[in-house]
């Protein structure tokens, strides 16, 4: 086959990749590689590897791109060689082969060693950022890649660096700058500036994973829908599993557990066909869901053999707490915390679980220390969910210390925040803390909060939490229905609705946020207007703002 024919076939295969015709691209590149000459072999090997990877034949895809590296290096196309080696390194890291990943990154570094700064150095920086052991190192390397991408006009490199830098900033607890970078990367990725479909996919993975890790549920939900559509349109098997896991985490947090189960089971199936190692986060999320449902044996089976994986650690600790072994949970969480320096979000997630474990173990001093850590991270990061979790932890510690007034104040703050964030399970737990805080002053109010929590847990199917609420109601005595209030005082539910009115939400959005019907939301709004003595939602919102300032 002569060179002109090879050139035409390479062009045809590249166009097939750009329109996501993986089978068509694979056939074209196989034809090039079956020829007599070496012309175009490196490009064809890379294209074939990419097509196979997107078809879900991951091992074969990696093997062909490894061959592409050798071909590019032989042709002294060092930038392309470094780019491919960095990609291969990432794939080995994802698959749990860190030694191979480091080896391939070293090959990328060696091939551009001693050459003038170019895109190859930028791809090496991307590889270093992905393998960084600290958030600071990740940010430093991502910034270097971003700078090189902009200096050389390599938009693929620039977009991927933006997504990595945004993820590093968000992980470190720098919410606003992190989200700005991620949103910039998302806009660039969706605007058609990037031609390499794998770069777009990698950037999308960083975007949705960063938002899920930081528990920015609103953005995560929006972006997951976009990325899921992208993955389906491009038949990107490996990407679909990642997005479904992230989307499931959003669904669990916001109370859509049936949909979350389906998404997680689908993600595990997708990963089993492409990259089995990626299934661990999905299995850990499903295990946490099973713990809340009281299905502890199933949770144990899901985590079996994955005890050492970082993604499983929190779920495993929650399982030990549920099974009455809080000291084991404390040890696991403390071990995990020793490896999260600089990771504000992961640290906060583990600290919240540690508060529960320490209180269950009867160690109030350690629980208060963990709560102080949550307060510090919430103050430094400005993350709403971090503040809500810190307040819930503070309420529990204050209850254990016998300070019911402090507990009530922090429980109310947590309840309002979880309501605005549309997280019914956590809002229900805040209600239980509030009920315990006020039961000495008003058993009627405590009963009302406990009944509301029980109803929320029942709607979710949260068996363990239903038991907690039922026990509290037995302690309070009487039935399971709240008694009517007199006068103009708003109930806790009405305070939640008022907060959402202040955000400009319609009755339909309030209903979705609180997991109630639109008709019920309308009834709440009507009662709020009547109790406040105002004529419309705008006046109610103004009343709420004045209340908060006061």
């Amino acid at each position: 086959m002569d060179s002109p024919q090879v050139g035409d076939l390479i062009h045809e295969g590249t166009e097939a990749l750009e329109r996501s015709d993986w089978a068509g691209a694979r056939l074209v590149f196989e034809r090039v590689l079956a020829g007599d000459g070496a012309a175009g072999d490196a490009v064809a090997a890379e294209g074939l590897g990419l097509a196979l990877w997107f078809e879900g034949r991951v091992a074969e895809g990696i093997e062909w791109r490894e061959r592409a590296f050798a071909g590019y290096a032989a042709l002294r196309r060092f930038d392309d060689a470094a780019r491919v080696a960095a990609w291969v390194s990432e794939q080995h890291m994802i698959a749990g082969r860190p030694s191979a990943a480091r080896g391939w990154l070293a090959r990328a570094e060696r091939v551009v060693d001693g050459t003038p700064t170019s895109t190859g150095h930028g791809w090496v920086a991307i590889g270093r950022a992905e393998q960084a052991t600290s958030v600071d190192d990740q940010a430093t390397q991502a910034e270097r890649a971003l700078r090189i991408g902009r200096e050389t006009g390599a938009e693929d490199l620039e977009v991927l660096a933006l997504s990595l830098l945004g993820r590093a900033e968000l992980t470190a607890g720098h919410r606003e700058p992190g989200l700005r970078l991620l949103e910039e990367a998302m806009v660039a990725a969706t605007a058609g500036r990037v031609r390499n479909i794998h770069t777009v996919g990698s950037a999308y993975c960083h975007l949705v994973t960063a938002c899920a890790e930081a528990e920015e549920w609103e953005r995560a939900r929006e972006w997951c829908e976009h990325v899921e559509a992208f993955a389906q349109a491009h038949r990107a098997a490996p990407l679909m599993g990642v997005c479904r896991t992230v989307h499931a985490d959003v669904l669990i947090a916001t109370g859509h557990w049936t949909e979350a189960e389906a998404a997680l089971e689908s993600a595990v199936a997708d990963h089993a066909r492409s990259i089995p190692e990626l299934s661990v986060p999905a299995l850990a999320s499903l295990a946490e869901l099973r713990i809340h449902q009281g299905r502890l044996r199933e949770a144990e089976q899901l985590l079996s053999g994955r005890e050492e994986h970082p993604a499983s650690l929190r779920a495993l600790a929650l399982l030990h707490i549920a099974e009455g072994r809080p000291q084991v949970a404390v040890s696991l969480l403390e071990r995990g915390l020793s490896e999260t320096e600089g990771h504000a979000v992961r640290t906060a997630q583990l600290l919240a679980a540690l508060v529960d474990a320490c209180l269950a173990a009867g160690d109030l001093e350690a629980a208060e220390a963990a709560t102080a850590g949550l307060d510090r991270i919430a103050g430094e990061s400005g993350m709403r969910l971090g503040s809500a979790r810190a307040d819930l932890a503070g309420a529990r510690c204050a209850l254990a210390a016998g300070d019911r007034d402090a507990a009530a104040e922090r429980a109310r703050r947590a309840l309002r925040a979880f309501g605005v964030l549309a997280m019914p399970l956590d809002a229900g737990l805040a209600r239980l803390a509030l009920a315990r805080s006020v039961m000495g002053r008003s058993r009627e109010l405590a009963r009302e909060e406990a009944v509301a929590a029980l109803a929320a847990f029942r709607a979710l199917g949260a068996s363990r939490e239903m038991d907690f609420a039922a026990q509290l109601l037995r302690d309070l005595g009487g039935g399971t229905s709240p008694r009517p209030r007199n006068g103009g005082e708003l109930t806790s539910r009405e305070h939640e609705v008022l907060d959402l009115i202040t955000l400009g939400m319609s009755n339909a959005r309030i209903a979705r946020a609180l997991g109630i019907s639109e008709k019920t939301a309308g009834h709440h709004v009507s009662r709020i207007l009547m109790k406040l003595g105002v004529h419309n939602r705008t006046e109610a919102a103004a009343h709420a703002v004045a209340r908060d300032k006061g």
Side-chain angles (χ1 to χ4, degrees), residues 135-328:
V135 177
D136 286 344
D137 286 346
Q138 185 179 53
T140 298
Q141 294 298 333
E143 285 172 344
R144 173 171 164 76
L146 180 60
R147 184 172 63 254
I148 293 173
R150 286 175 171 166
E151 288 172 354
T152 59
E155 292 186 323
D156 287 27
L157 179 59
E158 179 184 344
V159 170
L160 196 53
L162 274 172
S163 68
L164 273 169
L165 183 56
R167 182 176 180 179
E169 291 286 350
L170 204 56
T171 300
H174 308 146
R175 181 176 183 270
E176 291 306 320
L179 288 174
R180 281 197 299 272
L181 288 163
L182 289 170
E183 287 172 340
E184 183 182 353
M186 173 60 87
V187 169
T190 56
R193 287 174 50 191
V194 179
R195 294 187 65 190
N196 187 305
I197 204 72
H198 186 270
T199 301
V200 177
S202 295
Y204 280 159
C205 277
H206 291 308
L207 290 162
V208 297
T209 303
C211 276
E213 287 177 347
E215 296 170 316
E216 288 284 339
W217 304 128
E218 236 176 90
R219 284 178 176 84
R221 185 190 299 111
E222 176 188 345
W223 291 355
C224 275
E225 289 172 358
H226 180 88
V227 178
E228 179 79 6
F230 169 88
Q232 289 181 351
H234 294 82
R235 300 181 300 280
L239 188 58
M240 282 191 270
V242 172
C243 290
R244 284 181 187 148
T245 300
V246 173
H247 196 193
D249 288 337
V250 176
L251 291 169
I252 291 171
T254 54
H256 302 89
W257 287 9
T258 301
E259 296 96 320
E261 285 187 67
L264 288 169
E265 288 167 357
S266 175
V268 171
D270 282 338
H271 289 317
R273 288 191 295 270
S274 53
I275 310 176
E277 295 80 6
L278 284 179
S279 66
V280 179
L283 292 168
S285 293
L286 189 55
E288 288 197 24
L289 188 57
R290 293 290 182 252
I291 292 166
H292 291 305
Q293 293 168 330
R295 297 158 65 175
L296 303 186
R297 181 62 62 84
E298 291 179 49
E300 186 176 357
Q301 291 172 345
L302 289 166
L303 296 171
S304 178
R306 302 172 181 89
E307 290 83 358
E308 296 303 316
H309 197 289
S312 300
L313 193 144
R314 186 177 67 172
L316 197 60
L318 295 176
L319 178 61
H320 284 300
I321 294 171
E323 291 179 335
R325 297 191 296 273
Q327 288 291 3
V328 179

Side-chain angles (χ1 to χ4, degrees), residues 35-178:
D36 296 331
D41 277 7
V43 177
E46 182 182 4
L48 177 57
L50 188 58
L52 289 166
W53 189 89
F54 271 108
E55 285 186 315
R57 295 162 63 178
V58 172
E60 293 175 77
I62 293 173
E63 181 182 344
W64 276 106
R65 293 190 89 174
E66 288 175 349
R67 295 187 193 184
F69 165 81
Y72 283 134
L75 294 169
R76 302 184 64 81
R77 291 177 57 172
F78 299 134
D79 289 343
D80 287 324
R83 173 177 51 78
V84 171
W87 182 89
V88 171
S89 173
E90 178 198 21
Q91 294 300 304
H92 284 299
M93 182 61 71
I94 290 171
R97 298 186 289 270
S99 180
R102 289 191 294 270
W104 272 97
L105 184 56
R107 298 190 81 178
E109 292 169 339
R110 184 178 297 279
V111 82
V112 295
D113 187 35
T115 64
T117 299
S118 60
T119 56
H121 295 85
W123 289 109
V124 168
I126 289 288
R128 288 173 176 165
E130 290 172 335
Q131 292 188 23
T133 56
S134 75
V135 177
D136 286 344
D137 286 346
Q138 185 179 53
T140 298
Q141 294 298 333
E143 285 172 344
R144 173 171 164 76
L146 180 60
R147 184 172 63 254
I148 293 173
R150 286 175 171 166
E151 288 172 354
T152 59
E155 292 186 323
D156 287 27
L157 179 59
E158 179 184 344
V159 170
L160 196 53
L162 274 172
S163 68
L164 273 169
L165 183 56
R167 182 176 180 179
E169 291 286 350
L170 204 56
T171 300
H174 308 146
R175 181 176 183 270
E176 291 306 320

